[in-house]
Amino acid sequence: MLNRLLRPAALLAAAGAITLLASACGGSSPASSTSSAPAYPALVSSPACTQLRSQNPDLAGKTLTNAINPHTPGYESISVSDPTKYEGFDVDLSEAIGECLGFTVKYLPVAFDALLPTLQSGQANFIISDIYATKERAASADFITYSKVFDGVLVAAGNPKKITGIDDSLCGTTTALNKGFVEVPLVDAQNTKCASEGKPPAQTALFDNNADCVQAILSGRADAYINDVNTVNRFVKDQSGKLANATTLHLPYSIGIGVPKGQLPIRKAFTAALTQIQTSGLQTQLAQKWQLDQSAIQAPSLVTAS
């Protein structure tokens, strides 16, 4: 399941050829993968990826921009060892897709609620940033899914407000959430039940990134924070004795790769590359590397507006 600065870039060319003219709006940030040796040579040399590169010549040799919100450790965040780079599962997945299809990846850090507008404006070519693929979001982008969604509910140690999930236990509490998160309307929807039970409303406090949400709990300004369970568990580990995961919820969504609507060539190419990454076992390896739930992996499917 983070924040950032926008850089201008050219729109995707209608024929599928991609030219990006990106310049930073302040602060250095990781640009593109520059290593001449592929990180995943077995994937690159596989017959499937070799065929995909020949079928998608407009991608080979190009640089594509991935819009990310780099504030979710394990998925995408600034590298601890090298602050000029990003790291995480989604970063590795981006690189693997790029290597399979023959393009290099540049990263554009933006606020979470700016991810889709950045894609729509042509400043990014795709989004791999722990974004939940919902029908509402599919009005702005097509999504290729790759993982089920399990949320955790972060609370202060001991769970003093006895929060049990996205339910009426949130009545009279404040939940810290990132702007644009799907959990915002889910929490707000509890207010009908709160009112019917004569309880105070379930309130939300909106922030720009995960760290601010967590700090709101630590400072007593919020009672809960709901996000991907892997993210929640990392914060519990980092703040040992101060935070806890009250419960884990299975939400009826999937995590997906966002691509521009109507761009069938790139959608098909990304789906095929993702399929090969899963078939080769690489997605499982990356999940292990970043301590994510391997059982959440799911075969690619399309979420798009009807």
Side-chain angles (χ1 to χ4, degrees), residues 133 142-147 253-257 267 271 274-275 278 298-304:
D142 291 334
F143 288 93
I144 306 153
T145 67
Y146 58 89
S147 178
Y253 308 120
S254 296
I255 303 173
I257 301 169
R267 191 174 81 188
T271 301
L274 179 59
T275 299
Q278 291 190 349
Q298 63 179 181
S301 63
L302 180 65
V303 177
T304 187

Side-chain angles (χ1 to χ4, degrees), residues 13-274:
I18 297 152
T19 304
L20 287 170
L21 304 173
S23 60
C25 270
S28 61
S29 62
S32 58
S33 47
T34 57
S35 174
S36 57
Y40 310 105
L43 178 72
V44 174
S45 62
S46 70
C49 287
T50 300
Q51 184 178 14
L52 282 173
R53 289 193 296 277
S54 68
Q55 293 172 341
N56 296 276
D58 289 333
L59 296 178
K62 300 299 191 301
T63 298
L64 272 64
T65 295
N66 178 16
I68 63 172
N69 182 239
H71 298 270
T72 306
Y75 287 96
E76 49 276 318
S77 61
I78 296 173
S79 171
V80 175
S81 59
D82 185 350
T84 68
K85 296 181 179 179
Y86 296 125
E87 65 180 11
F89 173 87
D90 288 338
V91 175
D92 285 353
L93 181 61
S94 301
E95 300 292 336
I97 291 174
E99 288 191 358
C100 181
L101 296 175
F103 63 82
T104 56
V105 182
K106 180 175 290 186
Y107 298 93
L108 177 56
V110 300
F112 187 85
D113 59 355
L115 287 172
L116 289 173
T118 300
L119 181 70
Q120 288 180 293
S121 70
Q123 293 176 293
N125 304 107
F126 62 97
I127 301 168
I128 302 182
S129 190
D130 193 26
I131 185 170
Y132 296 178
T134 67
K135 280 294 185 181
E136 292 76 15
R137 287 174 176 165
S140 303
D142 291 334
F143 288 93
I144 306 153
T145 67
Y146 58 89
S147 178
K148 302 172 186 176
V149 169
F150 293 93
D151 266 7
V153 181
L154 190 70
V155 296
N159 193 8
K161 295 298 180 71
K162 307 304 179 188
I163 294 171
T164 57
I166 304 179
D167 53 28
D168 61 354
S169 68
L170 295 177
C171 299
T173 71
T174 297
T175 302
L177 293 168
N178 278 5
K179 296 173 183 175
F181 267 28
V182 300
E183 291 85 357
V184 176
L186 295 180
V187 172
D188 289 341
Q190 301 309 310
N191 284 323
T192 300
K193 191 169 186 181
C194 294
S196 69
E197 296 175 352
K199 297 178 180 179
Q203 304 201 27
T204 56
L206 304 183
F207 297 91
D208 288 326
N209 58 69
N210 288 340
D212 288 345
C213 291
V214 174
Q215 188 56 42
I217 295 178
L218 292 172
S219 65
R221 293 178 291 123
D223 305 298
Y225 160 68
I226 305 171
N227 198 354
D228 176 276
V229 67
N230 299 290
T231 302
V232 166
N233 287 340
R234 283 178 180 271
F235 283 120
V236 171
K237 183 178 179 180
D238 291 344
Q239 297 287 341
S240 179
K242 296 181 180 180
L243 299 171
N245 180 9
T247 188
T248 298
L249 312 168
H250 180 208
L251 299 188
Y253 308 120
S254 296
I255 303 173
I257 301 169
V259 296
K261 294 193 70 62
Q263 294 284 341
L264 296 183
I266 193 171
R267 191 174 81 188
K268 290 180 178 179
F270 271 54
T271 301
L274 179 59

